[in-house]
Amino acid sequence: MSTGVYTKTFGDICRDALRDAGIVAAQLPITQPHFQLAQSKANDVLAAWQGLNIHLWAETEALLPLNPNQTEYSLGVGGDHCFTEYTYTTTTAAIAAAAVVIPCATTGMSTTNFIGIALEDGTRHWSTISSISTGVSVTIADALPSAALSGAGIYVYSTKIDRPVRVIGGRGATTHTGDEKDLIQETRDSYFKIVNKLDTSSSINSWYYSPQLTVGKLYVWQAPEDCNQILRFTFVKPQYVNQDQTETVLIPAEWLLAFKWAVAYELAVTYGIDPNRLISIAQKAESSLSLALGNDEEYDSFNFQPG
């Protein structure tokens, strides 16, 4: 006997919800109009759940290399260079301006990856990798605008983060390997009341995030004086929206029951089923959500001290 990860497809959830709501009898096939409505309701539920302060399983870590004198960053597919998975290395020799060959270790790199090289003038040059000489160097698409020193930091990654639903906490560091400092989370009002936003007299102290509609806006203070400072932060990823009934629902197994009953309730309201049955479905949806939420809590350690 083997053990595996319990999953359900999007079609499984929609079919179960339609039948448990009493809209389609268990012995009858589900027609396309029924399924299309169930699919719409299911994605409505997933989108609504993003507004709840839950889902430890949807949290992950990102790294944002900061730019000199820049306080505002766009986060999302079309935004600034910010990523979760990456390779960090350094140049193995000094590089002249206008060069396209970057001497460095190449482990973990692929062609078309984004690459950011720290320059001698304190800025970071971003390009993409055109070719790789394994273990020796990479060739980039856009030539360096100015020189880079030997030992200059390089970030390489393939995919920018999706727009964060929420940013939960941020830590700053003056170098990739430097000690991290916990940063203050500002409110919108407190951040925009800061007068000297471009002050570069010290390392970053605080941040504020606004999710917006398509690309999030992350604001930092104080503005870095060079490209060596970084911001690491925890964020909530947007829930994947299913497009096809054969796709696996990307939520933990302990949330599947709550998801099904939430969809069943939304369908029951739309179809106008018997009020007594609607109450029963609502109770099932509420109780299964409570159970899932109980499993989604994070516990801090604590100690008892004698009185």
Side-chain angles (χ1 to χ4, degrees):
M1 180 181 294
S2 63
T3 60
V5 178
Y6 180 59
T7 63
K8 280 197 170 185
T9 67
F10 197 51
D12 292 335
I13 293 293
C14 291
R15 285 185 285 271
D16 289 351
L18 283 162
R19 288 179 171 132
D20 287 349
I23 296 164
V24 179
Q27 69 272 20
L28 297 178
I30 295 174
T31 62
Q32 190 62 21
H34 281 322
F35 183 80
Q36 287 178 338
L37 183 57
Q39 181 179 17
S40 175
K41 296 298 183 183
N43 280 326
D44 285 347
V45 170
L46 290 175
W49 278 359
Q50 286 190 160
L52 301 177
N53 191 22
I54 55 178
H55 303 345
L56 294 176
W57 42 269
E59 296 176 7
T60 192
E61 302 300 310
L63 186 146
L64 174 67
L66 301 177
N67 299 318
N69 303 310
Q70 182 176 338
T71 59
E72 179 183 330
Y73 296 84
S74 297
L75 300 185
V77 174
D80 286 295
H81 295 280
C82 185
F83 36 85
T84 56
E85 302 292 332
Y86 66 95
T87 294
Y88 178 81
T89 187
T90 58
T91 58
T92 54
I95 313 169
V100 294
V101 176
I102 311 300
C104 63
T106 62
T107 303
M109 301 182 188
S110 301
T111 55
T112 73
N113 281 174
F114 292 106
I115 181 169
I117 305 121
L119 303 179
E120 189 174 357
D121 64 6
T123 64
R124 186 176 299 278
H125 176 64
W126 287 97
S127 183
T128 55
I129 297 176
S130 299
S131 63
I132 299 174
S133 178
T134 304
V136 177
S137 65
V138 298
T139 300
I140 60 176
D142 305 299
L144 297 184
S146 61
L149 298 172
S150 178
I154 299 175
Y155 291 99
V156 177
Y157 74 99
S158 61
T159 307
K160 295 180 181 180
I161 65 170
D162 291 320
R163 177 189 67 90
V165 176
R166 287 184 301 278
V167 173
I168 299 172
R171 294 94 56 204
T174 54
T175 64
H176 172 73
T177 56
D179 292 338
E180 295 181 358
K181 178 181 72 173
D182 196 27
L183 303 177
I184 299 169
Q185 181 178 359
E186 304 277 3
T187 64
R188 179 181 181 85
D189 185 58
S190 64
Y191 177 82
F192 284 104
K193 282 183 178 178
I194 296 173
V195 177
N196 56 341
K197 291 186 180 66
L198 294 178
D199 180 15
T200 60
S201 60
S202 72
S203 58
I204 179 175
N205 285 296
S206 61
W207 59 274
Y208 161 68
Y209 177 68
S210 175
Q212 303 293 304
L213 290 176
T214 56
V215 177
K217 295 293 184 180
L218 181 71
Y219 302 87
V220 300
W221 184 78
Q222 295 168 307
E225 63 179 356
D226 57 35
C227 67
N228 292 320
Q229 291 193 51
I230 59 172
L231 173 66
R232 301 182 194 272
F233 60 88
T234 306
F235 74 99
V236 177
K237 299 178 291 186
Q239 176 62 51
Y240 176 73
V241 176
N242 293 92
Q243 303 293 329
D244 186 86
Q245 62 177 308
T246 62
E247 293 180 298
T248 298
V249 179
L250 299 182
I251 60 176
E254 58 269 20
W255 278 85
L256 291 173
L257 190 63
F259 184 35
K260 180 200 70 174
W261 282 112
V263 176
Y265 176 76
E266 295 298 326
L267 287 166
V269 171
T270 298
Y271 279 94
I273 68 168
D274 176 75
N276 290 327
R277 186 174 182 86
L278 181 63
I279 291 171
S280 176
I281 293 171
Q283 290 173 339
K284 292 287 289 183
E286 182 178 2
S287 62
S288 58
L289 179 60
S290 294
L291 287 172
L293 286 170
N295 187 68
D296 203 34
E297 293 178 357
E298 185 172 52
Y299 298 97
D300 290 327
S301 60
F302 59 92
N303 294 313
F304 289 105
Q305 296 291 339

PDB file of all heavy atoms in Angstrom, residues 13-47:
ATOM      1  N   ILE A  13     -14.573  19.045  -8.110  1.00  0.00           N
ATOM      2  CA  ILE A  13     -15.202  19.994  -7.177  1.00  0.00           C
ATOM      3  C   ILE A  13     -16.531  20.487  -7.730  1.00  0.00           C
ATOM      4  O   ILE A  13     -17.555  20.527  -7.009  1.00  0.00           O
ATOM      5  CB  ILE A  13     -14.260  21.182  -6.905  1.00  0.00           C
ATOM      6  CG1 ILE A  13     -13.027  20.732  -6.126  1.00  0.00           C
ATOM      7  CG2 ILE A  13     -14.994  22.294  -6.151  1.00  0.00           C
ATOM      8  CD1 ILE A  13     -13.285  20.271  -4.717  1.00  0.00           C
ATOM      9  N   CYS A  14     -16.556  20.866  -9.003  1.00  0.00           N
ATOM     10  CA  CYS A  14     -17.780  21.403  -9.599  1.00  0.00           C
ATOM     11  C   CYS A  14     -18.889  20.344  -9.630  1.00  0.00           C
ATOM     12  O   CYS A  14     -20.054  20.634  -9.302  1.00  0.00           O
ATOM     13  CB  CYS A  14     -17.491  21.909 -11.011  1.00  0.00           C
ATOM     14  SG  CYS A  14     -16.446  23.388 -11.073  1.00  0.00           S
ATOM     15  N   ARG A  15     -18.554  19.120 -10.006  1.00  0.00           N
ATOM     16  CA  ARG A  15     -19.563  18.063 -10.047  1.00  0.00           C
ATOM     17  C   ARG A  15     -20.077  17.734  -8.652  1.00  0.00           C
ATOM     18  O   ARG A  15     -21.290  17.584  -8.437  1.00  0.00           O
ATOM     19  CB  ARG A  15     -18.978  16.815 -10.720  1.00  0.00           C
ATOM     20  CG  ARG A  15     -18.855  16.916 -12.227  1.00  0.00           C
ATOM     21  CD  ARG A  15     -18.394  15.603 -12.848  1.00  0.00           C
ATOM     22  NE  ARG A  15     -16.973  15.406 -12.610  1.00  0.00           N
ATOM     23  CZ  ARG A  15     -16.022  15.859 -13.427  1.00  0.00           C
ATOM     24  NH1 ARG A  15     -16.341  16.540 -14.494  1.00  0.00           N
ATOM     25  NH2 ARG A  15     -14.749  15.620 -13.168  1.00  0.00           N
ATOM     26  N   ASP A  16     -19.175  17.602  -7.678  1.00  0.00           N
ATOM     27  CA  ASP A  16     -19.597  17.312  -6.310  1.00  0.00           C
ATOM     28  C   ASP A  16     -20.482  18.418  -5.755  1.00  0.00           C
ATOM     29  O   ASP A  16     -21.477  18.157  -5.065  1.00  0.00           O
ATOM     30  CB  ASP A  16     -18.372  17.141  -5.403  1.00  0.00           C
ATOM     31  CG  ASP A  16     -17.609  15.865  -5.685  1.00  0.00           C
ATOM     32  OD1 ASP A  16     -18.117  15.021  -6.453  1.00  0.00           O
ATOM     33  OD2 ASP A  16     -16.489  15.715  -5.151  1.00  0.00           O
ATOM     34  N   ALA A  17     -20.133  19.669  -6.036  1.00  0.00           N
ATOM     35  CA  ALA A  17     -20.911  20.803  -5.527  1.00  0.00           C
ATOM     36  C   ALA A  17     -22.314  20.821  -6.132  1.00  0.00           C
ATOM     37  O   ALA A  17     -23.303  21.074  -5.427  1.00  0.00           O
ATOM     38  CB  ALA A  17     -20.179  22.098  -5.827  1.00  0.00           C
ATOM     39  N   LEU A  18     -22.424  20.565  -7.424  1.00  0.00           N
ATOM     40  CA  LEU A  18     -23.738  20.547  -8.082  1.00  0.00           C
ATOM     41  C   LEU A  18     -24.622  19.441  -7.511  1.00  0.00           C
ATOM     42  O   LEU A  18     -25.824  19.637  -7.287  1.00  0.00           O
ATOM     43  CB  LEU A  18     -23.559  20.340  -9.587  1.00  0.00           C
ATOM     44  CG  LEU A  18     -23.101  21.579 -10.376  1.00  0.00           C
ATOM     45  CD1 LEU A  18     -22.534  21.177 -11.725  1.00  0.00           C
ATOM     46  CD2 LEU A  18     -24.248  22.573 -10.541  1.00  0.00           C
ATOM     47  N   ARG A  19     -24.027  18.296  -7.224  1.00  0.00           N
ATOM     48  CA  ARG A  19     -24.811  17.176  -6.708  1.00  0.00           C
ATOM     49  C   ARG A  19     -25.145  17.356  -5.229  1.00  0.00           C
ATOM     50  O   ARG A  19     -26.262  17.076  -4.789  1.00  0.00           O
ATOM     51  CB  ARG A  19     -24.062  15.868  -6.955  1.00  0.00           C
ATOM     52  CG  ARG A  19     -24.074  15.497  -8.443  1.00  0.00           C
ATOM     53  CD  ARG A  19     -23.342  14.231  -8.766  1.00  0.00           C
ATOM     54  NE  ARG A  19     -23.598  13.854 -10.155  1.00  0.00           N
ATOM     55  CZ  ARG A  19     -22.678  13.506 -11.034  1.00  0.00           C
ATOM     56  NH1 ARG A  19     -21.400  13.493 -10.660  1.00  0.00           N
ATOM     57  NH2 ARG A  19     -23.003  13.169 -12.268  1.00  0.00           N
ATOM     58  N   ASP A  20     -24.190  17.834  -4.421  1.00  0.00           N
ATOM     59  CA  ASP A  20     -24.455  18.019  -2.996  1.00  0.00           C
ATOM     60  C   ASP A  20     -25.434  19.158  -2.742  1.00  0.00           C
ATOM     61  O   ASP A  20     -26.106  19.180  -1.708  1.00  0.00           O
ATOM     62  CB  ASP A  20     -23.151  18.287  -2.241  1.00  0.00           C
ATOM     63  CG  ASP A  20     -22.303  17.029  -2.111  1.00  0.00           C
ATOM     64  OD1 ASP A  20     -22.817  15.934  -2.421  1.00  0.00           O
ATOM     65  OD2 ASP A  20     -21.131  17.130  -1.710  1.00  0.00           O
ATOM     66  N   ALA A  21     -25.505  20.104  -3.678  1.00  0.00           N
ATOM     67  CA  ALA A  21     -26.493  21.183  -3.548  1.00  0.00           C
ATOM     68  C   ALA A  21     -27.880  20.727  -3.980  1.00  0.00           C
ATOM     69  O   ALA A  21     -28.859  21.461  -3.796  1.00  0.00           O
ATOM     70  CB  ALA A  21     -26.059  22.391  -4.372  1.00  0.00           C
ATOM     71  N   GLY A  22     -27.987  19.531  -4.573  1.00  0.00           N
ATOM     72  CA  GLY A  22     -29.281  19.026  -5.015  1.00  0.00           C
ATOM     73  C   GLY A  22     -29.719  19.593  -6.343  1.00  0.00           C
ATOM     74  O   GLY A  22     -30.900  19.510  -6.690  1.00  0.00           O
ATOM     75  N   ILE A  23     -28.805  20.127  -7.098  1.00  0.00           N
ATOM     76  CA  ILE A  23     -29.145  20.730  -8.391  1.00  0.00           C
ATOM     77  C   ILE A  23     -29.162  19.675  -9.483  1.00  0.00           C
ATOM     78  O   ILE A  23     -29.993  19.700 -10.389  1.00  0.00           O
ATOM     79  CB  ILE A  23     -28.143  21.863  -8.719  1.00  0.00           C
ATOM     80  CG1 ILE A  23     -28.299  22.970  -7.683  1.00  0.00           C
ATOM     81  CG2 ILE A  23     -28.336  22.394 -10.132  1.00  0.00           C
ATOM     82  CD1 ILE A  23     -27.145  23.951  -7.647  1.00  0.00           C
ATOM     83  N   VAL A  24     -28.223  18.715  -9.418  1.00  0.00           N
ATOM     84  CA  VAL A  24     -28.164  17.607 -10.368  1.00  0.00           C
ATOM     85  C   VAL A  24     -28.168  16.308  -9.569  1.00  0.00           C
ATOM     86  O   VAL A  24     -27.355  16.144  -8.644  1.00  0.00           O
ATOM     87  CB  VAL A  24     -26.903  17.683 -11.251  1.00  0.00           C
ATOM     88  CG1 VAL A  24     -26.857  16.499 -12.208  1.00  0.00           C
ATOM     89  CG2 VAL A  24     -26.876  18.986 -12.038  1.00  0.00           C
ATOM     90  N   ALA A  25     -29.057  15.403  -9.911  1.00  0.00           N
ATOM     91  CA  ALA A  25     -29.136  14.127  -9.210  1.00  0.00           C
ATOM     92  C   ALA A  25     -27.859  13.320  -9.430  1.00  0.00           C
ATOM     93  O   ALA A  25     -27.216  13.415 -10.480  1.00  0.00           O
ATOM     94  CB  ALA A  25     -30.350  13.344  -9.693  1.00  0.00           C
ATOM     95  N   ALA A  26     -27.517  12.508  -8.438  1.00  0.00           N
ATOM     96  CA  ALA A  26     -26.257  11.770  -8.467  1.00  0.00           C
ATOM     97  C   ALA A  26     -26.155  10.836  -9.663  1.00  0.00           C
ATOM     98  O   ALA A  26     -25.058  10.600 -10.190  1.00  0.00           O
ATOM     99  CB  ALA A  26     -26.099  10.989  -7.170  1.00  0.00           C
ATOM    100  N   GLN A  27     -27.308  10.305 -10.120  1.00  0.00           N
ATOM    101  CA  GLN A  27     -27.267   9.319 -11.206  1.00  0.00           C
ATOM    102  C   GLN A  27     -27.304   9.955 -12.591  1.00  0.00           C
ATOM    103  O   GLN A  27     -27.180   9.253 -13.601  1.00  0.00           O
ATOM    104  CB  GLN A  27     -28.437   8.332 -11.061  1.00  0.00           C
ATOM    105  CG  GLN A  27     -29.806   8.940 -11.321  1.00  0.00           C
ATOM    106  CD  GLN A  27     -30.418   9.558 -10.073  1.00  0.00           C
ATOM    107  OE1 GLN A  27     -29.707   9.868  -9.125  1.00  0.00           O
ATOM    108  NE2 GLN A  27     -31.738   9.724 -10.089  1.00  0.00           N
ATOM    109  N   LEU A  28     -27.439  11.277 -12.664  1.00  0.00           N
ATOM    110  CA  LEU A  28     -27.565  11.943 -13.954  1.00  0.00           C
ATOM    111  C   LEU A  28     -26.269  12.623 -14.365  1.00  0.00           C
ATOM    112  O   LEU A  28     -25.508  13.095 -13.514  1.00  0.00           O
ATOM    113  CB  LEU A  28     -28.688  12.988 -13.902  1.00  0.00           C
ATOM    114  CG  LEU A  28     -30.105  12.473 -13.652  1.00  0.00           C
ATOM    115  CD1 LEU A  28     -31.086  13.630 -13.569  1.00  0.00           C
ATOM    116  CD2 LEU A  28     -30.517  11.492 -14.750  1.00  0.00           C
ATOM    117  N   PRO A  29     -26.017  12.695 -15.664  1.00  0.00           N
ATOM    118  CA  PRO A  29     -24.822  13.417 -16.126  1.00  0.00           C
ATOM    119  C   PRO A  29     -25.005  14.922 -15.944  1.00  0.00           C
ATOM    120  O   PRO A  29     -26.129  15.422 -15.876  1.00  0.00           O
ATOM    121  CB  PRO A  29     -24.741  13.046 -17.612  1.00  0.00           C
ATOM    122  CG  PRO A  29     -26.154  12.733 -17.999  1.00  0.00           C
ATOM    123  CD  PRO A  29     -26.774  12.105 -16.791  1.00  0.00           C
ATOM    124  N   ILE A  30     -23.882  15.632 -15.863  1.00  0.00           N
ATOM    125  CA  ILE A  30     -23.914  17.087 -15.689  1.00  0.00           C
ATOM    126  C   ILE A  30     -23.728  17.742 -17.047  1.00  0.00           C
ATOM    127  O   ILE A  30     -22.741  17.477 -17.758  1.00  0.00           O
ATOM    128  CB  ILE A  30     -22.824  17.538 -14.706  1.00  0.00           C
ATOM    129  CG1 ILE A  30     -23.135  16.976 -13.317  1.00  0.00           C
ATOM    130  CG2 ILE A  30     -22.719  19.064 -14.661  1.00  0.00           C
ATOM    131  CD1 ILE A  30     -22.067  17.237 -12.291  1.00  0.00           C
ATOM    132  N   THR A  31     -24.667  18.590 -17.410  1.00  0.00           N
ATOM    133  CA  THR A  31     -24.611  19.244 -18.710  1.00  0.00           C
ATOM    134  C   THR A  31     -23.622  20.407 -18.685  1.00  0.00           C
ATOM    135  O   THR A  31     -23.257  20.927 -17.624  1.00  0.00           O
ATOM    136  CB  THR A  31     -25.989  19.772 -19.118  1.00  0.00           C
ATOM    137  OG1 THR A  31     -26.416  20.752 -18.165  1.00  0.00           O
ATOM    138  CG2 THR A  31     -27.005  18.633 -19.171  1.00  0.00           C
ATOM    139  N   GLN A  32     -23.206  20.847 -19.860  1.00  0.00           N
ATOM    140  CA  GLN A  32     -22.228  21.920 -19.960  1.00  0.00           C
ATOM    141  C   GLN A  32     -22.689  23.230 -19.333  1.00  0.00           C
ATOM    142  O   GLN A  32     -21.901  23.888 -18.644  1.00  0.00           O
ATOM    143  CB  GLN A  32     -21.852  22.137 -21.426  1.00  0.00           C
ATOM    144  CG  GLN A  32     -20.667  23.061 -21.636  1.00  0.00           C
ATOM    145  CD  GLN A  32     -19.373  22.538 -21.015  1.00  0.00           C
ATOM    146  OE1 GLN A  32     -19.241  21.336 -20.760  1.00  0.00           O
ATOM    147  NE2 GLN A  32     -18.420  23.421 -20.753  1.00  0.00           N
ATOM    148  N   PRO A  33     -23.961  23.646 -19.512  1.00  0.00           N
ATOM    149  CA  PRO A  33     -24.387  24.894 -18.846  1.00  0.00           C
ATOM    150  C   PRO A  33     -24.265  24.832 -17.319  1.00  0.00           C
ATOM    151  O   PRO A  33     -23.863  25.812 -16.689  1.00  0.00           O
ATOM    152  CB  PRO A  33     -25.848  25.038 -19.286  1.00  0.00           C
ATOM    153  CG  PRO A  33     -25.916  24.322 -20.590  1.00  0.00           C
ATOM    154  CD  PRO A  33     -24.998  23.156 -20.446  1.00  0.00           C
ATOM    155  N   HIS A  34     -24.625  23.680 -16.732  1.00  0.00           N
ATOM    156  CA  HIS A  34     -24.470  23.517 -15.284  1.00  0.00           C
ATOM    157  C   HIS A  34     -22.994  23.637 -14.898  1.00  0.00           C
ATOM    158  O   HIS A  34     -22.641  24.316 -13.920  1.00  0.00           O
ATOM    159  CB  HIS A  34     -24.986  22.146 -14.835  1.00  0.00           C
ATOM    160  CG  HIS A  34     -26.473  22.053 -14.715  1.00  0.00           C
ATOM    161  ND1 HIS A  34     -27.252  23.077 -14.235  1.00  0.00           N
ATOM    162  CD2 HIS A  34     -27.330  21.035 -15.014  1.00  0.00           C
ATOM    163  CE1 HIS A  34     -28.525  22.708 -14.243  1.00  0.00           C
ATOM    164  NE2 HIS A  34     -28.601  21.475 -14.706  1.00  0.00           N
ATOM    165  N   PHE A  35     -22.142  22.954 -15.662  1.00  0.00           N
ATOM    166  CA  PHE A  35     -20.725  22.968 -15.313  1.00  0.00           C
ATOM    167  C   PHE A  35     -20.128  24.357 -15.468  1.00  0.00           C
ATOM    168  O   PHE A  35     -19.314  24.790 -14.649  1.00  0.00           O
ATOM    169  CB  PHE A  35     -19.943  21.972 -16.166  1.00  0.00           C
ATOM    170  CG  PHE A  35     -18.486  21.919 -15.789  1.00  0.00           C
ATOM    171  CD1 PHE A  35     -18.079  21.186 -14.687  1.00  0.00           C
ATOM    172  CD2 PHE A  35     -17.535  22.639 -16.493  1.00  0.00           C
ATOM    173  CE1 PHE A  35     -16.751  21.155 -14.302  1.00  0.00           C
ATOM    174  CE2 PHE A  35     -16.208  22.617 -16.120  1.00  0.00           C
ATOM    175  CZ  PHE A  35     -15.815  21.872 -15.024  1.00  0.00           C
ATOM    176  N   GLN A  36     -20.504  25.070 -16.512  1.00  0.00           N
ATOM    177  CA  GLN A  36     -19.962  26.418 -16.721  1.00  0.00           C
ATOM    178  C   GLN A  36     -20.323  27.344 -15.572  1.00  0.00           C
ATOM    179  O   GLN A  36     -19.495  28.149 -15.128  1.00  0.00           O
ATOM    180  CB  GLN A  36     -20.473  26.985 -18.048  1.00  0.00           C
ATOM    181  CG  GLN A  36     -19.825  26.342 -19.268  1.00  0.00           C
ATOM    182  CD  GLN A  36     -20.383  26.882 -20.572  1.00  0.00           C
ATOM    183  OE1 GLN A  36     -21.492  27.412 -20.631  1.00  0.00           O
ATOM    184  NE2 GLN A  36     -19.611  26.736 -21.638  1.00  0.00           N
ATOM    185  N   LEU A  37     -21.549  27.230 -15.070  1.00  0.00           N
ATOM    186  CA  LEU A  37     -21.938  28.063 -13.934  1.00  0.00           C
ATOM    187  C   LEU A  37     -21.168  27.651 -12.679  1.00  0.00           C
ATOM    188  O   LEU A  37     -20.706  28.507 -11.909  1.00  0.00           O
ATOM    189  CB  LEU A  37     -23.446  27.958 -13.689  1.00  0.00           C
ATOM    190  CG  LEU A  37     -23.991  28.845 -12.561  1.00  0.00           C
ATOM    191  CD1 LEU A  37     -23.672  30.319 -12.806  1.00  0.00           C
ATOM    192  CD2 LEU A  37     -25.502  28.636 -12.395  1.00  0.00           C
ATOM    193  N   ALA A  38     -21.012  26.348 -12.471  1.00  0.00           N
ATOM    194  CA  ALA A  38     -20.254  25.877 -11.303  1.00  0.00           C
ATOM    195  C   ALA A  38     -18.807  26.352 -11.378  1.00  0.00           C
ATOM    196  O   ALA A  38     -18.217  26.747 -10.360  1.00  0.00           O
ATOM    197  CB  ALA A  38     -20.313  24.351 -11.227  1.00  0.00           C
ATOM    198  N   GLN A  39     -18.220  26.340 -12.557  1.00  0.00           N
ATOM    199  CA  GLN A  39     -16.851  26.812 -12.730  1.00  0.00           C
ATOM    200  C   GLN A  39     -16.739  28.283 -12.370  1.00  0.00           C
ATOM    201  O   GLN A  39     -15.798  28.701 -11.688  1.00  0.00           O
ATOM    202  CB  GLN A  39     -16.412  26.604 -14.178  1.00  0.00           C
ATOM    203  CG  GLN A  39     -14.991  27.052 -14.463  1.00  0.00           C
ATOM    204  CD  GLN A  39     -14.590  26.808 -15.915  1.00  0.00           C
ATOM    205  OE1 GLN A  39     -15.431  26.599 -16.782  1.00  0.00           O
ATOM    206  NE2 GLN A  39     -13.308  26.833 -16.170  1.00  0.00           N
ATOM    207  N   SER A  40     -17.709  29.083 -12.806  1.00  0.00           N
ATOM    208  CA  SER A  40     -17.706  30.510 -12.482  1.00  0.00           C
ATOM    209  C   SER A  40     -17.821  30.732 -10.974  1.00  0.00           C
ATOM    210  O   SER A  40     -17.097  31.545 -10.386  1.00  0.00           O
ATOM    211  CB  SER A  40     -18.852  31.205 -13.212  1.00  0.00           C
ATOM    212  OG  SER A  40     -18.954  32.565 -12.835  1.00  0.00           O
ATOM    213  N   LYS A  41     -18.714  29.993 -10.321  1.00  0.00           N
ATOM    214  CA  LYS A  41     -18.893  30.140  -8.867  1.00  0.00           C
ATOM    215  C   LYS A  41     -17.637  29.691  -8.118  1.00  0.00           C
ATOM    216  O   LYS A  41     -17.246  30.303  -7.104  1.00  0.00           O
ATOM    217  CB  LYS A  41     -20.099  29.331  -8.396  1.00  0.00           C
ATOM    218  CG  LYS A  41     -21.438  29.787  -8.956  1.00  0.00           C
ATOM    219  CD  LYS A  41     -21.769  31.204  -8.531  1.00  0.00           C
ATOM    220  CE  LYS A  41     -23.140  31.623  -9.026  1.00  0.00           C
ATOM    221  NZ  LYS A  41     -23.455  33.036  -8.674  1.00  0.00           N
ATOM    222  N   ALA A  42     -17.001  28.621  -8.592  1.00  0.00           N
ATOM    223  CA  ALA A  42     -15.808  28.127  -7.921  1.00  0.00           C
ATOM    224  C   ALA A  42     -14.685  29.161  -7.970  1.00  0.00           C
ATOM    225  O   ALA A  42     -13.996  29.398  -6.977  1.00  0.00           O
ATOM    226  CB  ALA A  42     -15.354  26.817  -8.564  1.00  0.00           C
ATOM    227  N   ASN A  43     -14.486  29.791  -9.106  1.00  0.00           N
ATOM    228  CA  ASN A  43     -13.451  30.815  -9.197  1.00  0.00           C
ATOM    229  C   ASN A  43     -13.818  32.062  -8.399  1.00  0.00           C
ATOM    230  O   ASN A  43     -12.941  32.743  -7.870  1.00  0.00           O
ATOM    231  CB  ASN A  43     -13.179  31.165 -10.663  1.00  0.00           C
ATOM    232  CG  ASN A  43     -12.275  30.150 -11.343  1.00  0.00           C
ATOM    233  OD1 ASN A  43     -11.391  29.584 -10.728  1.00  0.00           O
ATOM    234  ND2 ASN A  43     -12.511  29.896 -12.614  1.00  0.00           N
ATOM    235  N   ASP A  44     -15.129  32.344  -8.287  1.00  0.00           N
ATOM    236  CA  ASP A  44     -15.562  33.440  -7.410  1.00  0.00           C
ATOM    237  C   ASP A  44     -15.157  33.162  -5.960  1.00  0.00           C
ATOM    238  O   ASP A  44     -14.709  34.062  -5.243  1.00  0.00           O
ATOM    239  CB  ASP A  44     -17.091  33.624  -7.482  1.00  0.00           C
ATOM    240  CG  ASP A  44     -17.547  34.292  -8.770  1.00  0.00           C
ATOM    241  OD1 ASP A  44     -16.685  34.838  -9.495  1.00  0.00           O
ATOM    242  OD2 ASP A  44     -18.760  34.257  -9.047  1.00  0.00           O
ATOM    243  N   VAL A  45     -15.328  31.922  -5.534  1.00  0.00           N
ATOM    244  CA  VAL A  45     -14.974  31.550  -4.161  1.00  0.00           C
ATOM    245  C   VAL A  45     -13.476  31.706  -3.938  1.00  0.00           C
ATOM    246  O   VAL A  45     -13.031  32.276  -2.928  1.00  0.00           O
ATOM    247  CB  VAL A  45     -15.423  30.108  -3.849  1.00  0.00           C
ATOM    248  CG1 VAL A  45     -14.832  29.634  -2.523  1.00  0.00           C
ATOM    249  CG2 VAL A  45     -16.943  30.029  -3.797  1.00  0.00           C
ATOM    250  N   LEU A  46     -12.667  31.213  -4.879  1.00  0.00           N
ATOM    251  CA  LEU A  46     -11.221  31.322  -4.734  1.00  0.00           C
ATOM    252  C   LEU A  46     -10.778  32.783  -4.676  1.00  0.00           C
ATOM    253  O   LEU A  46      -9.900  33.148  -3.892  1.00  0.00           O
ATOM    254  CB  LEU A  46     -10.521  30.609  -5.896  1.00  0.00           C
ATOM    255  CG  LEU A  46     -10.611  29.083  -5.909  1.00  0.00           C
ATOM    256  CD1 LEU A  46      -9.973  28.528  -7.175  1.00  0.00           C
ATOM    257  CD2 LEU A  46      -9.969  28.481  -4.668  1.00  0.00           C
ATOM    258  N   ALA A  47     -11.395  33.613  -5.508  1.00  0.00           N
ATOM    259  CA  ALA A  47     -11.045  35.032  -5.495  1.00  0.00           C
ATOM    260  C   ALA A  47     -11.455  35.687  -4.175  1.00  0.00           C
ATOM    261  O   ALA A  47     -10.722  36.514  -3.626  1.00  0.00           O
ATOM    262  CB  ALA A  47     -11.723  35.743  -6.665  1.00  0.00           C
TER     263      ALA A  47
END
